Amino acid sequence: MKVAIKGMGFYVPEEVVTNFDLEKILDTSDAWIVERTGIRERRRAKDTELTSDLAVNASKMAIKNAGIDPTDIDFIICATASPDYLFPSTGCIVGTKLGLGGVPAVDIAAGCTGFIYALSIAHGLLATGNLKNVLVVGAEELFKIVDPEDRSTYVLFGDGAGAAILGLSEDDSGILGWELRADGGYGELLMLPARGVALPLNQETIEKKLHYVKMKGNEIFKLAVRCMGDVSLSLLKKLGMNSSQLDWIVPHQANIRIIQALAKRLDVPMERVIVNVDKYGNTSAASIPIAICEAIEEGKIKKGDVVLLVAFGAGLTWGAMVLRI
Ligand code: UT7
């Protein structure tokens, strides 16, 4: 029996930060950001609003859309690179805020590929037949971990959350296959150096701003284009499919130029690619669920559509999944 998405939800904070707002505080311009990234605005959470709060809002919508009661959830997986704390996990906090004390919960740290990793793990858990409903949520507050004085990262990221309820399929919808990859050898290209045990927070690490995201954007760009294309084509081959059988591609929303290069490599017109990087920027593990859910709400992605999800991010990690909605 297949494992399918039974309902989805998303939540973005109210505050909109436009490129014009960023022009006022950084040596940057709307023209540069739009041309190099496709981003026009992004959302920022309040100081008092935590990653777990965004996750809870998205999860409540997914629970409603799946037509289940919160108490029907028997496992929670939260994908995040910006957790409330190193521990307890954000998954545990989300469970408590949903009134689900006692339900197992865990975080997945797979950067921007986190949501695809989490879906794949939920797929494996449900396939054992021991569980009925798994909540998978990708949630990020990246504004709180990027350097407000670093134009090369501060303009790229945004806050938000997207969630899905997964369960056994009752029709022909479901996950058709996935392929995941990782290579820690490239980890330093995109990392948050301090805050862990390797470089604990202290005056020196703070002065050197090592508690903020560091990214070699150019190198990540080239690897993202190559790896997202490779993993997508490899998965399609494994499934005996070609890209013309895909109704939609939902790529990780990091940069419009990466998305366009991917579409070209897969020979899929941009009309069949979901893009919202202009509105939300790069929301890491939240970007794919926000994009799918919004596309469903807008009537683009419909029941029965075959969709390719593909992402690339810190780790480095990358992966793809094909599913019928
Ligand atoms: O989520 C998964 C991981 N992340 C990604 O996939 C992001 C991948 N990388 C990218 O999207 C792009 O590499 C960036 C958008 C980050 C940068 O675009 P780029 O075309 O690779 O630019 P660059 O880093 O080569 O920088 C070109 C110039 C530099 O100036 P010089 O050295 O040529 O004088 C930068 O200093 O652009 C400058 N620059 C900026 N200028 C205005 C960098 N950031 C900005 C900025 N505004 N915000």
Side-chain angles (χ1 to χ4, degrees):
M1 197 169 228
K2 285 201 183 67
V3 170
I5 290 179
K6 295 162 94 175
M8 293 203 66
F10 80 102
Y11 175 80
V12 288
E14 269 170 43
E15 189 194 352
V16 176
V17 178
T18 67
N19 293 346
F20 299 105
D21 296 327
L22 297 178
E23 277 182 356
K24 292 179 200 144
I25 54 167
L26 283 169
D27 178 16
T28 189
S29 66
D30 173 63
W32 189 95
I33 302 170
V34 172
E35 190 197 316
R36 298 295 181 111
T37 71
I39 301 167
R40 292 180 185 277
E41 56 189 48
R42 67 288 288 144
R43 301 299 180 99
R44 177 165 51 199
K46 297 186 191 97
D47 288 347
T48 51
E49 197 176 27
L50 305 182
T51 298
S52 60
D53 296 316
L54 309 192
V56 164
N57 287 338
S59 300
K60 283 182 178 164
M61 180 174 166
I63 291 165
K64 189 164 171 250
N65 284 337
I68 63 166
D69 191 82
T71 57
D72 295 329
I73 292 170
D74 31 34
F75 209 104
I76 299 167
I77 307 177
C78 179
T80 185
S82 46
D84 289 6
Y85 307 99
L86 274 178
F87 59 87
S89 74
T90 305
C92 285
I93 298 167
V94 169
T96 300
K97 286 182 177 173
L98 287 171
L100 297 177
V103 173
V106 69
D107 281 5
I108 297 290
C112 305
T113 322
F115 192 73
I116 299 181
Y117 264 73
L119 287 182
S120 308
I121 292 164
H123 183 213
L125 286 170
L126 285 157
T128 64
N130 291 322
L131 303 175
K132 277 191 81 178
N133 294 293
V134 177
L135 166 63
V136 174
V137 54
E140 302 285 10
E141 292 202 357
L142 300 165
F143 258 109
K144 289 176 181 148
I145 59 167
V146 283
D147 179 356
E149 292 176 350
D150 178 6
R151 67 176 182 175
S152 72
T153 52
Y154 198 69
V155 305
L156 303 176
F157 298 100
D159 301 342
I165 301 291
L166 270 79
L168 292 182
S169 173
E170 285 155 12
D171 49 33
D172 67 346
S173 63
I175 294 170
L176 304 180
W178 45 265
E179 196 164 315
L180 300 176
R181 308 226 184 122
D183 190 341
Y186 291 98
E188 286 184 4
L189 295 181
L190 175 48
M191 75 185 302
L192 203 153
R195 295 190 205 232
V197 296
L199 282 178
L201 272 191
N202 57 37
Q203 203 173 336
E204 189 189 342
T205 52
I206 291 172
E207 273 167 14
K208 289 184 176 165
K209 298 189 161 199
L210 299 176
H211 56 304
Y212 288 129
V213 171
K214 304 285 174 210
M215 179 168 74
K216 299 212 165 71
N218 233 313
E219 290 174 56
I220 289 284
F221 186 99
K222 284 181 252 169
L223 283 168
V225 168
R226 176 154 56 82
C227 294
M228 285 166 83
D230 285 352
V231 76
S232 301
L233 291 172
S234 170
L235 175 60
L236 288 173
K237 191 171 171 203
K238 197 160 83 181
L239 294 173
M241 295 174 69
N242 61 58
S243 62
S244 67
Q245 291 167 280
L246 299 171
D247 294 297
W248 295 99
I249 299 178
V250 185
H252 168 50
Q253 309 285 313
N255 185 313
I256 189 65
R257 293 184 293 137
I258 296 177
I259 296 173
Q260 286 162 341
L262 173 78
K264 197 169 168 205
R265 172 109 189 262
L266 299 186
D267 195 22
V268 170
M270 282 302 288
E271 293 70 42
R272 286 200 278 129
V273 180
I274 301 297
V275 176
N276 66 8
V277 69
D278 52 324
K279 286 195 291 185
Y280 305 124
N282 182 345
T283 57
S284 191
S287 93
I288 286 185
I290 293 173
I292 313 173
C293 189
E294 198 176 55
I296 293 173
E297 299 258 299
E298 288 170 358
K300 287 182 181 161
I301 297 181
K302 298 191 180 65
K303 181 93 188 135
D305 282 354
V306 176
V307 178
L308 169 79
L309 315 180
V310 54
F312 181 90
L316 298 176
T317 59
W318 60 107
M321 173 176 276
V322 175
L323 69 160
R324 192 185 305 278
I325 297 293

